[in-house]
Amino acid sequence: MSQQYMMKGNEALAEAALRAGCRYFFGYPITPQTELSAYMSKRMPKIGGTFLQAESEIAAINMVLGASSVGARVMTSSSSPGISLKTEGISYIAGSDLPCLIVNVQRGGPGLGGIQPSQADYFQATKAPGHGDLHIMVFAPASIQEIVDMVGRAFDKADQYRVPAMLLADGALGQMMEPIAFPDESEEKKLPEKPWAATGTKGSRKPNIINSLYLNPNKLEDSVRERFERYEKIKENEVLYEEVMTDDADLVLIAYGITSRICKTAVNMARAEGIKLGLLRPITLWPFPEKAIAKIADHAKAFMSVEMSMGQMVDDVRLAVNGKCPVRFFGRTGGVIPTPDEILQAAKDVLASVGGDK
Amino acid sequence: MAVVFEKTRGLTDVATHYCPGCGHGIVHRLVAESLVELDVLEKTVGVCPVGCSVMAYDYFNCDFIEAPHGRAPAVATGAKRVLGDKNIVFTYQGDGDLAAIGTAETVHSATRGENITIIFINNAIYGMTGGQMAPTTLPGQVTQTTPYGRDVKTAGYPVRVCEMLSTLDGVYYAERVAVDSVPHINAAKAAIKKAFQNQIDGKGFSIVEVVSNCPTNWGLSPAESMQWLRDNMLPYYPLGVYKDKDKGGNE
Ligand SMILES: Cc1ncc(C[n+]2csc(CCOP(=O)(O)OP(=O)(O)O)c2C)c(N)n1
Ligand code: SF4
């Protein structure tokens, strides 16, 4: 069996990135992700990598843009207010078809908000990670082991599709400790060739240009359409989710990240009382598991989206359910973590209000 | 027949979109010639700004990255940290790009002593967006957004970039040149070449500020604009070496 470690989410994430071949990290300090940067600052110099504390999140994401442009596997991490500053760079990175990993260890907002765990950046991550027509892949792990398993995948998928990836965690996942094992590391990680990278022509090819500017509107439309064709492939092939007792469920909870674990407890409590509660946990938020939800909507009586926000993902659940049954919401916000009891009570209330057979 | 002048292969064979008489064209040639003469063109990665030179990637015959407005030094930092000594990385930026929206990126790449070269075009105006006030617009200068002349009481004073950066320990070389006359153009070429040679030698952050013109938005003919530059800009922005660690620090 591979070795077990007891690690904080932030540190495990950093170590997993190193093991996935990431050698460049650019960041700016912010709670609750600081341990991630600190870990990188300690380890990178020892393994020939680069850790750079930038003057701002804006600078950090643009350093990521530069490093990715020349072919590096590169990442940055931050928390909510810092991600707002990165959105400019994310848009340019997406528009230039550059791969990279962006980590958001979410905290409560808006504004300076708080430093406790939150899921209030769902809209930002999935709808508007930057200006313009664009998407990024958004991965939402629910445990530290899943963080560790997902980091390498996020890098690989970003390279494969030339689309930036975001790992959307929260202050709880970042700060708590769990036992983990790292994926098999017997072989040295081989990274893909990047013939498009701007590494100098060496006199043997035309210049490579990394760019998001097209003054000709038809050319710009062509480039956006080509990117959206890749998005379609991502939607077909890269959706990840977990289902818990949805087959016979009357009410299906939809929750991601740390909230999904609290929902699992609520599901078990409900089942012990004979209440048919189920859970669907999106593991990728973009692409969203809309087909899986639509299928469940054929037999479930209702859905309830549970989030640490005032209700953001619930919009996507409604779109997926498409009127087949009621979609309700339960959430706590501002850094308040919902309890299994209050989720179970909210579920009972929904079931009472929707009543009857399907 | 003796060849007295040739187009450098450091530039591509396309007509630029620059206005007639604009200094950007001159500086492009000086940069391209320097890269060829130093035999580094094939390993050079340029970073262009947002401004009139936003499409410099079409004109230079080397790899290029387009940066968001003001972020070129951060983009160059990321690229250079990965490429290291194998490549040459430079940015080409206007005054709005470098000294307004990108001030933080400029100052911090300088103070970190990044081993990059910055070519900075100071034309005292925002060219691309149609002639608004720049951080380098002179007191009293009329622009689209200072229609009564730049009033320092409300719009503040111009930024002298070389003077400011020369106070930073991380800066290896900072020189201000101009492109209004043949002697000045020759001196500009020497400074640009030195700034690239510094990077080849691993010496660190080098910036060449080029006092240039914008005949279109200054509302002058090319010849008049050069005279205006001499009469108004050079007194406010004196030419010279502001820092050269080869010569032991500030001059
Ligand atoms: C974030 C952002 N803000 C504003 C602009 C609009 N804009 C484009 S170029 C420019 C000013 C460029 O002026 P300067 O850097 O002096 O270069 P020049 O055009 O004079 O060569 C501005 C404000 C933009 N593209 N992006
Ligand atoms: S607007 Fe000014 S700076 Fe821009 S190309 Fe024309 S003359 Fe040059």
Side-chain angles (χ1 to χ4, degrees):
Chain A
M1 217 188 87
S2 51
Q3 203 180 333
Q4 294 265 318
Y5 299 87
M6 191 72 183
M7 283 178 100
K8 266 194 176 191
N10 283 330
E11 292 178 342
L13 199 165
E15 178 61 30
L18 299 180
R19 289 174 190 233
C22 175
R23 290 293 176 275
Y24 298 92
F25 178 93
F26 303 98
Y28 185 85
I30 186 168
T31 309
Q33 68 76 56
T34 35
E35 297 85 359
L36 204 168
S37 307
Y39 194 90
M40 290 297 194
S41 69
K42 209 156 84 187
R43 291 283 293 136
M44 281 297 195
K46 306 274 185 210
I47 57 172
T50 293
F51 164 86
L52 198 161
Q53 180 170 323
E55 59 271 27
S56 70
E57 288 86 351
I58 297 176
I61 192 73
N62 281 289
M63 291 170 188
V64 169
L65 190 161
S68 182
S69 295
V70 301
R73 178 161 277 200
V74 55
M75 70 178 288
T76 183
S77 72
S78 188
S79 178
S80 311
I83 299 293
S84 290
L85 286 186
K86 289 190 196 293
T87 55
E88 176 196 62
I90 292 171
S91 175
Y92 281 75
I93 287 170
S96 308
D97 298 317
L98 294 171
C100 70
L101 177 65
I102 302 138
V103 175
N104 182 1
V105 184
Q106 295 171 90
R107 59 189 249 183
L112 207 45
I115 56 169
Q116 297 300 324
S118 161
Q119 296 180 321
D121 299 345
Y122 178 92
F123 278 155
Q124 185 189 49
T126 62
K127 312 289 177 204
H131 64 280
D133 269 327
L134 72 97
H135 289 289
I136 60 177
M137 291 181 279
V138 184
F139 295 87
S143 69
I144 299 181
Q145 183 63 56
E146 200 173 36
I147 288 178
V148 163
D149 295 337
M150 206 172 271
V151 168
R153 182 185 180 88
F155 273 121
D156 290 343
K157 292 297 166 190
D159 280 344
Q160 181 183 338
Y161 293 102
R162 292 184 63 182
V163 168
M166 176 178 277
L167 206 139
L168 192 66
D170 61 68
L173 283 168
Q175 297 292 326
M176 70 191 195
M177 289 178 106
E178 285 184 315
I180 47 151
F182 289 99
D184 181 26
E185 65 227 34
S186 47
E187 277 173 53
E188 181 75 3
K189 184 91 188 168
K190 250 196 103 193
L191 302 184
E193 296 283 317
K194 295 178 177 172
W196 47 264
T199 51
T201 64
K202 301 181 183 69
S204 61
R205 59 158 169 77
K206 284 202 170 130
N208 279 345
I209 313 267
I210 309 292
N211 177 33
S212 63
L213 174 70
Y214 298 84
L215 286 180
N216 177 327
N218 293 311
K219 290 224 166 102
L220 177 56
E221 186 182 47
D222 287 348
S223 92
V224 174
R225 283 192 188 281
E226 185 281 321
R227 195 168 302 117
F228 270 71
E229 280 166 22
R230 273 180 280 143
Y231 292 163
E232 281 309 311
K233 291 207 181 86
I234 294 173
K235 283 183 177 176
E236 269 164 44
N237 302 317
E238 307 299 344
V239 176
L240 297 174
Y241 58 89
E242 179 193 358
E243 288 185 71
V244 181
M245 290 183 268
T246 53
D247 285 347
D248 66 339
D250 290 328
L251 175 64
V252 175
L253 307 179
I254 312 280
Y256 71 93
I258 195 72
T259 311
S260 69
R261 291 171 67 168
I262 308 168
C263 285
K264 256 187 207 173
T265 307
V267 167
N268 290 332
M269 287 161 61
R271 291 279 168 168
E273 293 181 28
I275 301 168
K276 287 183 178 166
L277 201 57
L279 167 71
L280 184 140
R281 170 172 82 91
I283 300 174
T284 53
L285 300 180
W286 198 94
F288 192 67
E290 50 199 23
K291 286 186 191 144
I293 292 174
K295 220 166 121 205
I296 298 170
D298 289 335
H299 62 78
K301 287 182 188 155
F303 288 84
M304 184 170 84
S305 186
V306 183
E307 308 171 41
M308 290 195 288
S309 76
M310 290 302 284
Q312 302 191 6
M313 181 174 66
V314 63
D315 285 5
D316 284 334
V317 179
R318 282 203 185 96
L319 286 171
V321 170
N322 200 14
K324 286 187 209 161
C325 61
V327 175
R328 300 287 166 79
F329 171 75
F330 178 79
R332 300 299 306 267
T333 194
V336 181
I337 299 173
T339 65
D341 287 318
E342 59 186 2
I343 293 170
L344 180 57
Q345 187 54 50
K348 286 177 181 169
D349 293 346
V350 170
L351 279 170
S353 73
V354 298
D357 286 333
K358 172 106 178 160
Chain B
M1 209 165 64
V3 176
V4 288
F5 185 80
E6 263 186 315
K7 187 191 101 14
T8 167
R9 66 180 174 82
L11 293 175
T12 55
D13 243 333
V14 301
T16 74
H17 69 287
Y18 297 118
C19 305
C22 173
H24 273 305
I26 302 173
V27 184
H28 276 32
R29 177 171 62 79
L30 300 183
V31 170
E33 284 175 357
S34 300
L35 294 172
V36 170
E37 286 163 23
L38 294 168
D39 197 21
V40 294
L41 180 70
E42 283 76 17
K43 56 177 185 173
T44 293
V45 179
V47 182
C48 43
V50 177
C52 277
S53 45
V54 69
M55 288 187 297
Y57 51 75
D58 279 341
Y59 309 142
F60 285 101
N61 207 357
C62 62
D63 282 3
F64 246 89
I65 307 169
E66 168 60 46
H69 195 17
R71 317 300 176 216
V75 171
T77 296
K80 185 68 181 181
R81 291 294 182 115
V82 175
L83 297 170
D85 297 340
K86 295 195 304 289
N87 293 75
I88 296 300
V89 178
F90 79 96
T91 74
Y92 184 105
Q93 302 175 256
D95 40 44
D97 196 81
L98 181 139
I101 194 167
T103 311
E105 286 78 4
T106 304
V107 168
H108 286 275
S109 61
T111 202
R112 282 192 306 268
E114 296 293 339
N115 189 25
I116 58 174
T117 304
I118 291 187
I119 308 299
F120 164 43
I121 310 299
N122 176 359
N123 59 10
I125 206 152
Y126 281 17
M128 189 193 209
T129 38
Q132 298 81 16
M133 182 185 78
T136 47
T137 290
L138 296 173
Q141 188 181 337
V142 172
T143 70
Q144 191 188 64
T145 48
T146 53
Y148 311 110
R150 181 177 189 159
D151 179 356
V152 295
K153 285 209 286 297
T154 54
Y157 291 87
V159 179
R160 291 188 179 98
V161 170
C162 274
E163 287 85 335
M164 177 175 78
L165 292 185
S166 66
T167 66
L168 300 175
D169 290 344
V171 173
Y172 193 89
Y173 171 60
E175 177 164 358
R176 184 182 291 124
V177 298
V179 286
D180 62 304
S181 67
V182 173
H184 280 167
I185 291 172
N186 288 338
K189 168 85 176 278
I192 288 169
K193 221 166 150 176
K194 182 176 163 78
F196 281 113
Q197 185 65 50
N198 284 346
Q199 185 177 160
I200 295 167
D201 297 341
K203 286 177 173 170
F205 188 91
S206 298
I207 181 168
V208 178
E209 173 176 345
V210 185
V211 179
S212 187
N213 63 341
C214 176
T216 302
N217 289 302
W218 290 358
L220 301 171
S221 72
E224 286 167 349
S225 75
M226 290 305 184
Q227 193 55 48
W228 192 89
L229 183 161
R230 277 189 287 274
D231 293 344
N232 298 279
M233 288 187 73
L234 295 189
Y236 205 93
Y237 299 110
L239 305 185
V241 178
Y242 285 85
K243 180 140 189 196
D244 187 354
K245 283 194 186 171
D246 277 346
K247 309 224 169 89
N250 295 344
E251 293 209 348

